[in-house]
Amino acid sequence: MFITYGNLRGEAMIQQPASGRVIRRKIPYPRVFLLGGGTILILAALTYYVIRGSQPPAPAKYLSAPVRIGSLSETDSATGEVVPGNTFTVSTPANATLQQLNVHYGQQVASGTVLATFSDPALASEVASQEATVLNDQNQVSELASPIYTASQQAALAQLRDNLSQAQAQWTADKSAGTVMAPTTGTLSQILPVGSIVNQGQTVATISGKNIPAPLSGTVQSVNAETGAFVHAASPLLVLSSPQLTAKVLGDESQIANIQSQLDKAELQDSPAQLSTQLAQARAQLQRNQETLTQEQQALAGLTVKAPFSGQIVSLNTSSGTGKLLTLDSASLMVSVPIPETQINAIHTNQRVAVSLPALPGQATTGQVQTIAPVGTYSNGVSTYPVSIALSDPAGIRYGMTAQVSIVVKSVQHAMLVPLAAIHSKGSHNFVQTLGPNNQLTRVPVHIILENATQAAVKSRKLSPSSHVVTATLTSTSGKLHLKAKGRALHHKGPKGKKGGKGGKGGL
């Protein structure tokens, strides 16, 4: 079947293939109008775009930002738990009993408050005994160190030495009392033989006609010269002995031995060197006993337990007479956060940090790094190091809350700052485009010092605070109206440049 639209009267010419007969049918007028109107609209649109394409393109428009001088910092973030800055636990001492408890659960206490008092009678007795021992040691040290004591000891030594000298002189005199000496020089004409018994005053020898009397009564024990011999004055002639003289000599010798023993003992104990040694030993003994006394006194004082810091009683157990009695948590708070091994070297003590708490939206505080664990914890191929941060303002913050910590790990001051969207990368090189007169673009190489999520600190010889850098295109040269961001932060097809930090902040 064939249909032909060549009839201006709105008739359709239909020819049947079998019979070849042509049938005329009328087309409804509304369809004719619709077909004609559509054709006219299509032709008009084509004409509009042809005419517009022949017009000159609209100038490009750009979004730009000024180069600023300011500071920029890179931060590391971590999440941790709020914990007490200090915890103090009180337990019942061994052999002691609770005498008085001065606090209750949940009570806020100030530093120095007496929390509890214990009693230990045995310890109190030991302290009293040790105090007496120390007092005795102190008296001994004072005596040994006293100049009067030293002088008296030296005087006693001198007296013993004098007594020994006198005893030795007496022994010498008594020993020689029975010896008869020649009073003059001459020829010995007579001398009594050994064994002769004589009385005191009896003649025992004659020299050159001069008789020599016996000094005492006794027996001739020995003769030192013969009759007819020539003797000299003061030479011994003979020796007399008697029981009385022997007893006296033996008494002298005993006295000498006794005095010598006393002197040896005194010199051993009271000589300057020995006194110095005794003083050193006494002082050492005093120090040992004082240390023992100090420990016992501290243990006794420890029976009165005081709060070492201000805080709150968070646990209390009075049901048992032994073990933990109470726990005091400090009013100061800390946040313990795990820092990865790749970032721990950028953390140091006394470093300032920013702290926020999800439980307290809108309330931010600051903190300071207090301790860094020297040993890390290994898990899933990464080691982390616990870092404790003391909160500067713990008002409204409770134990166990989650805290988000931002730590500044790197910063620059007085640097040129540009939006990160203005930076382009080509290979290992970075550049920005500055906007000049008549929307002229100039490519300026830059070196990135530091960057965060929104801006970067850069160095460039051709960039100044008066420059404006392009961050996006508002209108293209094709005349189409659109917003196209420039720079690697929002639009980037080239190789990746320097990776930025986790977060950061910047400002003038």
Side-chain angles (χ1 to χ4, degrees):
M1 183 186 321
F2 300 92
I3 300 177
T4 305
Y5 295 96
N7 195 327
L8 296 179
R9 293 195 296 269
E11 294 178 342
M13 305 299 291
I14 304 173
Q15 182 179 7
Q16 296 181 349
S19 61
R21 186 166 61 92
V22 177
I23 301 174
R24 292 183 177 87
R25 290 184 181 180
K26 289 187 178 181
I27 301 175
Y29 285 105
R31 294 184 180 179
V32 174
F33 294 149
L34 289 173
L35 292 173
T39 304
I40 293 172
L41 288 175
I42 293 172
L43 293 174
L46 292 173
T47 303
Y48 170 78
Y49 280 105
V50 170
I51 295 174
R52 180 175 176 177
S54 62
Q55 294 179 353
K61 294 183 180 179
Y62 303 101
L63 184 64
S64 65
V67 176
R68 298 186 301 114
I69 300 296
S71 60
L72 186 68
S73 60
E74 178 184 342
T75 62
D76 280 335
S77 299
T79 302
E81 179 186 3
V82 177
V83 296
N86 290 289
T87 297
F88 179 64
T89 300
V90 179
S91 299
T92 302
N95 304 321
T97 57
L98 179 62
Q99 185 175 5
Q100 185 175 357
L101 180 64
N102 302 323
V103 294
H104 57 80
Y105 177 76
Q107 180 178 344
Q108 298 284 345
V109 298
S111 177
T113 301
V114 177
L115 304 177
T117 304
F118 300 91
S119 63
D120 188 346
L123 179 60
S125 177
E126 290 178 4
V127 170
S129 176
Q130 191 66 21
E131 286 176 343
T133 300
V134 168
L135 180 60
N136 182 61
D137 292 342
Q138 290 174 338
N139 292 335
Q140 184 178 4
V141 169
S142 298
E143 181 181 2
L144 291 174
S146 171
I148 297 176
Y149 175 80
T150 303
S152 65
Q153 295 302 105
Q154 296 304 309
L157 282 174
Q159 183 62 47
L160 286 173
R161 293 190 183 101
D162 184 60
N163 292 342
L164 179 62
S165 298
Q166 291 179 5
Q168 288 174 339
Q170 183 63 42
W171 174 82
T172 301
D174 292 340
K175 187 74 173 177
S176 61
T179 302
V180 179
M181 309 295 291
T184 184
T185 300
T187 301
L188 180 63
S189 59
Q190 177 190 351
I191 188 169
L192 294 179
V194 175
S196 301
I197 299 174
V198 297
N199 295 320
Q200 185 177 3
Q202 180 181 344
T203 300
V204 294
T206 302
I207 299 176
S208 300
K210 185 177 181 179
N211 296 327
I212 302 172
L216 51 84
S217 297
T219 302
V220 177
Q221 184 178 5
S222 64
V223 177
N224 299 323
E226 296 177 355
T227 301
F230 184 83
V231 296
H232 295 278
S235 61
L237 300 176
L238 55 84
V239 177
L240 298 174
S241 63
S242 68
Q244 296 80 5
L245 180 60
T246 301
K248 191 173 182 181
V249 170
L250 291 176
D252 292 341
E253 291 176 350
S254 176
Q255 184 180 10
I256 289 172
N258 183 42
I259 296 174
Q260 184 66 54
S261 177
Q262 294 179 18
L263 180 59
D264 291 343
K265 184 178 179 180
E267 287 180 341
L268 182 63
Q269 295 179 349
D270 301 331
S271 66
Q274 186 61 29
L275 286 175
S276 177
T277 302
Q278 290 179 1
L279 180 59
Q281 293 174 347
R283 285 172 173 168
Q285 182 65 31
L286 173 61
Q287 182 178 358
R288 288 192 295 268
N289 289 332
Q290 282 179 330
E291 291 175 353
T292 302
L293 176 60
T294 299
Q295 294 174 358
E296 293 179 350
Q297 288 175 335
Q298 289 175 348
L300 187 62
L303 297 178
T304 300
V305 183
K306 298 182 180 180
F309 45 77
S310 300
Q312 184 179 21
I313 305 298
V314 296
S315 72
L316 192 63
N317 178 24
T318 58
S319 60
S320 175
T322 60
K324 186 172 71 172
L325 176 63
L326 59 87
T327 302
L328 171 68
D329 283 346
S330 66
S332 62
L333 300 179
M334 300 181 67
V335 178
S336 179
V337 294
I339 301 297
E341 58 185 326
T342 55
Q343 303 168 10
I344 193 63
N345 288 335
I347 311 299
H348 55 83
T349 54
N350 300 323
Q351 192 171 2
R352 303 293 297 180
V353 300
V355 181
S356 61
L357 297 100
L360 301 174
Q363 178 178 339
T365 185
T366 59
Q368 193 172 31
V369 175
Q370 192 164 8
T371 60
I372 302 172
V375 180
T377 302
Y378 183 81
S379 178
N380 298 326
V382 178
S383 291
T384 57
Y385 293 79
V387 174
S388 298
I389 299 168
L391 299 180
S392 58
D393 184 12
I397 303 175
R398 297 177 178 270
Y399 307 138
M401 284 186 173
T402 301
Q404 296 175 345
V405 176
S406 296
I407 305 176
V408 176
V409 296
K410 189 185 299 183
S411 63
V412 292
Q413 308 293 328
H414 306 294
M416 287 190 294
L417 305 179
V418 298
L420 198 61
I423 298 179
H424 301 262
S425 298
K426 186 174 182 181
S428 60
H429 302 285
N430 299 307
F431 65 91
V432 296
Q433 289 181 310
T434 59
L435 188 62
N438 300 322
N439 283 354
Q440 181 181 0
L441 298 181
T442 302
R443 179 179 294 189
V444 178
V446 294
H447 172 68
I448 298 177
I449 305 172
L450 183 65
E451 63 180 90
N452 58 25
T454 58
Q455 56 187 340
V458 299
K459 282 185 177 181
S460 177
R461 296 180 180 179
K462 298 182 180 181
L463 207 61
S464 66
S466 61
S467 304
H468 282 68
V469 293
V470 175
T471 58
T473 301
L474 294 178
T475 349
S476 68
T477 56
S478 63
K480 296 181 180 180
L481 183 64
H482 68 287
L483 175 63
K484 181 180 179 183
K486 302 179 73 66
R488 60 177 179 155
L490 301 178
H491 176 71
H492 177 64
K493 293 184 180 179
K496 292 183 178 180
K498 178 182 176 182
K499 184 178 179 181
K502 281 189 175 183
K505 62 180 181 179
L508 290 174

